[in-house]
C-alpha cells in the first residue's frame, strides 16, 4: 500500500523567512511520480511540481525548490524568502506509473502561515 | 475559462436526501477522477473514468455513491440517502492519458463542491 506522510501539521513563519515542508512516502513500485499541490483558502488545488522516481535532480523554480532523495524516500519543498501570498495548505502526493490507476495518494497536508 | 469546473460549489441538504454533483473536465482530457476531502485531511481517491468507462473504485465508494460519465465528457456523482458523515468537499480532476506515453500527465483539479448534510 502506498502512503504519504507530512509530519508538520502547521508551520508559522514571519515573512521573508525560508521554510521547508517535509514529505516522506512509502511505495513498493519502482517507478512512481511525486507531486506537490497548493490549496489556498479558496479551496482549489493548484499543481506545483511533478517528479518521477528516476529523476533525482533537485529543481528550482523562482522562490520554490524541491529536494528529492530516493534513499530516504523524501521529497521536501522549500520556499525561500516567504511571502504572505504563500499562505496555504500544501499537499504532497504519490501516484503509480500507470497514470494514476488508483488515483493520487495525498498526505494530510501542511498548513503554512506566513505572518507579515 | 478552460479549466475543470464543478457545479454546484456548495450544497446543503438534509440527512436522507439524494444529491448530485456535476464535473466538466478540461475538454481534451480523457481521464476524470473524483476525490473526497474532509476537514484537515488530504483528498482521498473515490473513482476514475477513462472516457466513459469507470475503471477503478475505491472501497470508500459505498453503495450509496454512484458516478457516471455517459458520453465521456462531463461526469456526475450522486449520493443517495445522504448521511452526516458524507459532509465533505468533493473534488473532480482530469488528465490526459495516452497509452505508450513515457510521461505521466498531472491531474488538474476543479474548485470542488462543498456538501453539508444537516
Amino acid at each position: 500500500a502506498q502512503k504519504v506522510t507530512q509530519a508538520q501539521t502547521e508551520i508559522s513563519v514571519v515573512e521573508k523567512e525560508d521554510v521547508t515542508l517535509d514529505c516522506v512516502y512509502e511505495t513498493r513500485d519502482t517507478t512512481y511520480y511525486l507531486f506537490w499541490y497548493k490549496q489556498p483558502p479558496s479551496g482549489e488545488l493548484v499543481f506545483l511540481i511533478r517528479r518521477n522516481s528516476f529523476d533525482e535532480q533537485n529543481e528550482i523554480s523562482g522562490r520554490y525548490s524541491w529536494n528529492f532523495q530516493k534513499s530516504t524516500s523524501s521529497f521536501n519543498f522549500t520556499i525561500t524568502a516567504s511571502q504572505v501570498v504563500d499562505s496555504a495548505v500544501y499537499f504532497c502526493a504519490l501516484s503509480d506509473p500507470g497514470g494514476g490507476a488508483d488515483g493520487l495518494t495525498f498526505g494530510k497536508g501542511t498548513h503554512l502561515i506566513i505572518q507579515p | 475559462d478552460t479549466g475543470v469546473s464543478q457545479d454546484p460549489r456548495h450544497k446543503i441538504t438534509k440527512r436522507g436526501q439524494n444529491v448530485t454533483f456535476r464535473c466538466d473536465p478540461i475538454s481534451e482530457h480523457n481521464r476524470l477522477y473524483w476525490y473526497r476531502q474532509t476537514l484537515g485531511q488530504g483528498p482521498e481517491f473515490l473513482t476514475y473514468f477513462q472516457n466513459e468507462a469507470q475503471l477503478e473504485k475505491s472501497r470508500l465508494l459505498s453503495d450509496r455513491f454512484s458516478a457516471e460519465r455517459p458520453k465521456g465528457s462531463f461526469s456526475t456523482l450522486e449520493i443517495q440517502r445522504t448521511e452526516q458523515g458524507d459532509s465533505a468537499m468533493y473534488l473532480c480532476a482530469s488528465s490526459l492519458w495516452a497509452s505508450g506515453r513515457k510521461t505521466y500527465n498531472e491531474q488538474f483539479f476543479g474548485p470542488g463542491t462543498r456538501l453539508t448534510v444537516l
Side-chain angles (χ1 to χ4, degrees):
Chain A
Q2 301 192 129
K3 186 178 179 182
V4 175
T5 301
Q6 295 180 256
Q8 304 149 310
T9 304
E10 184 174 289
I11 300 175
S12 181
V13 299
V14 176
E15 198 172 20
K16 297 184 183 177
E17 286 186 13
D18 298 347
V19 58
T20 296
L21 310 181
D22 298 333
C23 172
V24 174
Y25 63 92
E26 296 174 29
T27 180
R28 293 181 180 175
D29 293 324
T30 55
T31 303
Y32 50 88
Y33 291 82
L34 293 160
F35 305 81
W36 276 94
Y37 281 86
K38 174 182 180 180
Q39 189 173 45
S42 60
E44 189 162 348
L45 281 163
V46 177
F47 167 77
L48 296 178
I49 189 172
R50 174 191 69 222
R51 170 70 69 222
N52 76 53
S53 54
F54 294 110
D55 183 1
E56 290 193 67
Q57 281 192 334
N58 291 330
E59 183 159 339
I60 298 175
S61 176
R63 296 183 297 107
Y64 295 172
S65 62
W66 291 269
N67 183 329
F68 175 34
Q69 291 195 343
K70 209 168 178 177
S71 60
T72 57
S73 297
S74 65
F75 186 42
N76 296 337
F77 172 32
T78 297
I79 301 175
T80 303
S82 60
Q83 300 176 1
V84 172
V85 292
D86 295 328
S87 297
V89 181
Y90 290 85
F91 291 98
C92 180
L94 171 66
S95 187
D96 65 64
D102 293 325
L104 295 172
T105 300
F106 284 85
K108 292 189 176 182
T110 297
H111 185 197
L112 178 62
I113 301 168
I114 309 298
Q115 300 179 26
Chain B
D1 188 348
T2 57
V4 179
S5 62
Q6 293 187 246
D7 184 69
R9 295 291 306 276
H10 302 272
K11 178 71 177 178
I12 299 174
T13 191
K14 293 183 179 178
R15 187 162 47 98
Q17 298 293 306
N18 299 343
V19 294
T20 300
F21 311 140
R22 176 179 170 126
C23 171
D24 287 89
I26 294 172
S27 59
E28 63 269 24
H29 284 184
N30 53 3
R31 285 200 169 178
L32 187 149
Y33 301 79
W34 285 100
Y35 291 82
R36 181 179 70 186
Q37 185 179 17
T38 53
L39 200 61
Q41 302 295 316
E44 296 172 294
F45 168 75
L46 292 177
T47 187
Y48 92 99
F49 293 83
Q50 181 161 315
N51 299 313
E52 66 276 8
Q54 188 172 16
L55 296 187
E56 190 76 22
K57 289 191 219 180
S58 161
R59 64 184 184 281
L60 295 175
L61 210 67
S62 75
D63 292 344
R64 295 184 297 106
F65 288 68
S66 63
E68 293 182 345
R69 194 182 184 199
K71 296 182 181 179
S73 56
F74 73 91
S75 175
T76 58
L77 177 67
E78 180 183 16
I79 308 175
Q80 296 182 325
R81 304 181 303 281
T82 52
E83 302 172 357
Q84 288 184 325
D86 296 332
S87 295
M89 175 80 86
Y90 290 84
L91 295 165
C92 175
S94 70
S95 71
L96 178 63
W97 183 87
S99 60
R101 284 184 68 105
K102 301 288 185 187
T103 58
Y104 178 90
N105 292 292
E106 58 270 18
Q107 296 176 27
F108 292 89
F109 283 80
T113 294
R114 184 169 294 284
L115 173 66
T116 302
V117 182
L118 302 176

